Amino acid sequence: MKDTMIQYFQWDLPADRSLYKKLGAQAAQLARTGFNMVWMPPASKGAAGVNDVGYSPYDLYDLGEFYQKGTQSTKYGTRAQYLRAINALHKRKIRVIADVVLNHKMGADILEDAMASTVSQLDRNKIDQSLHPVKTWTGFTFPGRRDKYSSFHWTWRHFTGTDYDESNRQNELLLFEGKYWNDRVSHENGNYDFIMGCDVDFSNTEVIDELYRWGHWYVTQTQVDGFRLDAVKNIDSSFFKCWLEDMHKYGNHPDFAVGEFWSGNVWDVKHYLHDCGYCMKMMDVPLHYELQRASMSNGTYDIRKLFHDTLTNYDPHYAVAFVDNHDTQPHQSLESWVMDWFKTAAYASILLYKCECPCVFYGDYYGIPSADKHPVSCLKEMVWIRANLLSSNFIDLFDEDRQKACWMAYGEHPVIVIYTIADRKEKTFCEPNYAGQTIVDVMNPDHTETFGPDGTVHVSCMPGCASVYILKSDYSRLRREIKKDR
């Protein structure tokens, strides 16, 4: 089976603690559709308790087990429900990808006195105010857990900096005495070691030892199969290679990792990939931005060049392609939504073409009611086609028309895709091996075409739409399989 991942959460899910239960109940359906990897949300207790999406980590050891931050459960459920969901996925041979947030901590228990310099937000190498006394929320003792699993307590000495001084009640970027921003990170804003909260110091041996201890505990407890690593552009690139190799020795021996380096510049992403020793894949953020540009171009984008400046093009084995995610959805900090009219074509591009490991977003698969977004048309069908029909032998059928994309996956079960970012488009080509065969447009099943005696066929798509053609016999099979989940 080809790899196909689903990101099983979106930012605006209700805080009803039901996601793990829902995921466990839908494991069989996800497997039948064609998913073999599920990216689960961050499982650790966040600073906002039950309302925390997971990216403000407070206690990495609290997976919804201890009463902390006003709740036992996380937003998604309890520790027991988390483990049951993982088990349900494993029973269906679906690999579990855990979202791991190591860069920062938030929601400290103790106010501490320290010395720090104030640093410019726009140039973190510039000191705006020299060393001075500060009071910072940097003491983490986790009183609700009472040292179960780990007795390690965090203090300001375990962080490089933080972003709030209680003494003057000001939000400002503070660099602690004796600390330096790590240079093996993105050089955005001079140095992008800091992103938010209390910035974990990856040069501190006590910190490194604790992150290894936690990792051993976590993979053994959960048996996850891999990691989605949050905000790697802010983390020392030399850390992950050894850490991931060590994690592979424990639990279910996780052997998959994908990092989030948020940049639309493919060379920035490739640079970090090189620096970390190619120990992980990377989310193809440049491709996401190309898809967004195409959707907003009013037909002026050259769709034939969609993949040119993307990680999928330069390093396909290390790219995880996606259309949108929790950060790019409406009203979020990195909002860059691929316009709805183009979503089906965008997913055809990552699911039914040359992408080795595409990721489907929960908000596109199930919809986002809070933003009035509906499920993407025929997304489930495309995932099924990828898993059951799609070959790796692609024949490009692009021509001089910059507004049209067209290709065929050649094999026993041919898949033909044509889409347009403007007016109606069509393509005529010849493939003698399919002479006499009838194909059905999955997007519009009333639309069928038949290969002529010499193998000539004519395919088309409506304005601003995509068409995906498969054999009539394959379409009948698809309908039987999809019907089981209705």
Side-chain angles (χ1 to χ4, degrees):
M1 174 186 278
K2 290 178 176 290
D3 283 337
T4 312
M5 186 191 307
I6 182 169
Q7 177 188 355
Y8 202 85
F9 65 100
Q10 53 102 347
W11 199 274
D12 295 331
L13 287 173
D16 60 7
R17 316 169 198 207
S18 67
L19 186 73
Y20 294 153
K21 287 193 237 180
K22 178 180 177 182
L23 176 54
Q26 292 188 338
Q29 178 181 331
L30 292 170
R32 280 196 302 270
T33 300
F35 292 107
N36 64 350
M37 304 172 74
V38 169
W39 161 13
M40 294 181 69
S44 299
K45 185 71 58 64
V50 75
N51 295 306
D52 204 298
V53 175
Y55 295 102
S56 305
Y58 164 67
D59 185 357
L60 294 180
Y61 288 95
D62 186 355
L63 306 180
E65 181 179 1
F66 305 99
Y67 190 84
Q68 301 188 107
K69 298 304 175 185
T71 177
Q72 176 190 3
S73 170
T74 69
K75 180 176 184 177
Y76 310 108
T78 65
R79 169 193 162 103
Q81 291 166 344
Y82 179 58
L83 297 180
R84 281 198 292 270
I86 292 173
N87 186 53
L89 293 168
H90 281 166
K91 284 183 177 178
R92 300 294 175 175
K93 302 190 184 310
I94 296 176
R95 301 164 70 195
V96 175
I97 309 305
D99 201 324
V100 173
V101 188
L102 299 179
N103 176 76
H104 51 277
K105 298 182 75 63
M106 304 177 81
D109 305 298
I110 296 175
L111 190 63
E112 297 186 304
D113 291 308
M115 296 290 289
S117 302
T118 303
V119 175
S120 169
Q121 291 279 4
L122 298 179
D123 182 356
R124 277 80 181 282
N125 295 317
K126 178 184 177 185
I127 302 296
D128 285 343
Q129 182 181 356
S130 60
L131 276 176
H132 59 282
V134 294
K135 290 185 178 293
T136 57
W137 289 99
T138 45
F140 292 80
T141 59
F142 317 112
R145 178 160 55 81
R146 299 181 181 179
D147 289 348
K148 185 176 180 180
Y149 304 130
S150 172
S151 60
F152 187 84
H153 293 179
W154 297 71
T155 73
W156 69 265
R157 293 173 178 82
H158 298 120
F159 303 110
T160 312
T162 190
D163 57 3
Y164 182 74
D165 183 356
E166 181 67 34
S167 64
N168 59 15
R169 298 187 179 181
Q170 293 292 316
N171 290 103
E172 50 193 16
L173 184 47
L174 302 172
L175 178 66
F176 287 124
E177 182 179 19
K179 301 286 186 171
Y180 301 91
W181 301 127
N182 194 301
D183 193 50
R184 292 184 290 270
V185 296
S186 166
H187 289 164
E188 186 177 334
N189 293 337
N191 181 293
Y192 217 43
D193 186 358
F194 183 89
I195 182 173
M196 66 176 74
C198 300
D199 184 69
V200 172
D201 183 357
F202 283 84
S203 68
N204 185 301
T205 56
E206 292 181 354
V207 167
I208 299 300
D209 289 345
E210 173 62 6
L211 293 180
Y212 273 78
R213 281 193 298 269
W214 172 79
H216 300 162
W217 172 86
Y218 179 71
V219 299
T220 302
Q221 294 282 317
T222 64
Q223 302 294 315
V224 296
D225 304 283
F227 307 102
R228 181 267 184 186
L229 302 168
D230 183 63
V232 298
K233 70 188 289 185
N234 312 97
I235 298 176
D236 183 348
S237 59
S238 69
F239 169 76
F240 285 112
K241 183 174 177 60
C242 293
W243 189 82
L244 289 169
E245 287 176 353
D246 197 68
M247 293 309 108
H248 182 62
K249 301 173 184 177
Y250 295 84
N252 204 33
H253 306 290
D255 60 357
F256 177 94
V258 55
E260 178 219 24
F261 188 108
W262 198 267
S263 172
N265 185 324
V266 68
W267 301 107
D268 288 344
V269 181
K270 280 176 60 64
H271 183 74
Y272 192 91
L273 191 57
H274 173 269
D275 285 354
C276 76
Y278 290 85
C279 66
M280 66 181 82
K281 298 178 187 289
M282 290 286 182
M283 302 300 295
D284 197 346
V285 178
L287 175 57
H288 157 74
Y289 280 118
E290 291 300 326
L291 291 166
Q292 189 206 22
R293 278 191 278 273
S295 76
M296 300 179 70
S297 70
N298 197 28
T300 61
Y301 186 93
D302 189 344
I303 203 65
R304 301 169 302 178
K305 298 180 179 179
L306 176 67
F307 288 96
H308 278 206
D309 292 320
T310 69
L311 193 61
T312 297
N313 180 42
Y314 288 111
D315 282 299
H317 182 63
Y318 291 96
V320 173
F322 70 103
V323 176
D324 273 305
N325 68 16
H326 61 290
D327 282 323
T328 71
Q329 71 182 79
H331 315 305
Q332 294 312 309
S333 59
L334 296 173
E335 179 179 348
S336 47
W337 191 249
V338 175
M339 294 182 70
D340 297 342
W341 73 268
F342 186 63
K343 275 291 175 75
T344 299
Y347 272 106
S349 296
I350 71 168
L351 290 170
L352 303 179
Y353 198 37
K354 299 176 182 178
C355 299
E356 293 187 18
C357 185
C359 182
V360 173
F361 178 41
Y362 183 104
D364 288 328
Y365 197 72
Y366 295 104
I368 308 176
S370 62
D372 195 29
K373 300 298 181 185
H374 302 286
V376 172
S377 177
C378 291
L379 183 49
K380 180 179 290 189
E381 286 82 353
M382 286 190 283
V383 172
W384 187 92
I385 290 170
R386 175 179 176 82
N388 294 278
L389 305 179
L390 196 72
S391 76
S392 299
N393 185 8
F394 294 99
I395 299 174
D396 287 336
L397 299 171
F398 296 89
D399 52 34
E400 70 284 352
D401 190 341
R402 58 187 287 136
Q403 297 176 329
K404 177 178 68 184
C406 190
W407 67 85
M408 176 173 66
Y410 180 88
E412 182 180 355
H413 304 280
V415 178
I416 303 163
V417 177
I418 180 171
Y419 69 78
T420 173
I421 59 171
D423 299 328
R424 179 182 183 276
K425 300 295 180 183
E426 56 188 33
K427 181 71 177 181
T428 300
F429 65 98
C430 182
E431 184 46 65
N433 287 331
Y434 300 130
Q437 298 266 39
T438 296
I439 52 177
V440 178
D441 180 0
V442 175
M443 311 301 177
N444 178 16
D446 292 333
H447 180 197
T448 63
E449 299 287 350
T450 301
F451 285 87
D454 63 346
T456 298
V457 71
H458 180 84
V459 295
S460 62
C461 59
M462 298 301 290
C465 292
S467 290
V468 177
Y469 294 86
I470 60 177
L471 293 179
K472 186 175 181 180
S473 56
D474 289 332
Y475 180 76
S476 298
R477 180 183 165 205
L478 181 155
R479 296 318 304 163
R480 288 194 302 271
E481 292 296 318
I482 296 295
K483 187 177 180 180
K484 293 177 182 178
D485 296 326
R486 298 299 188 194

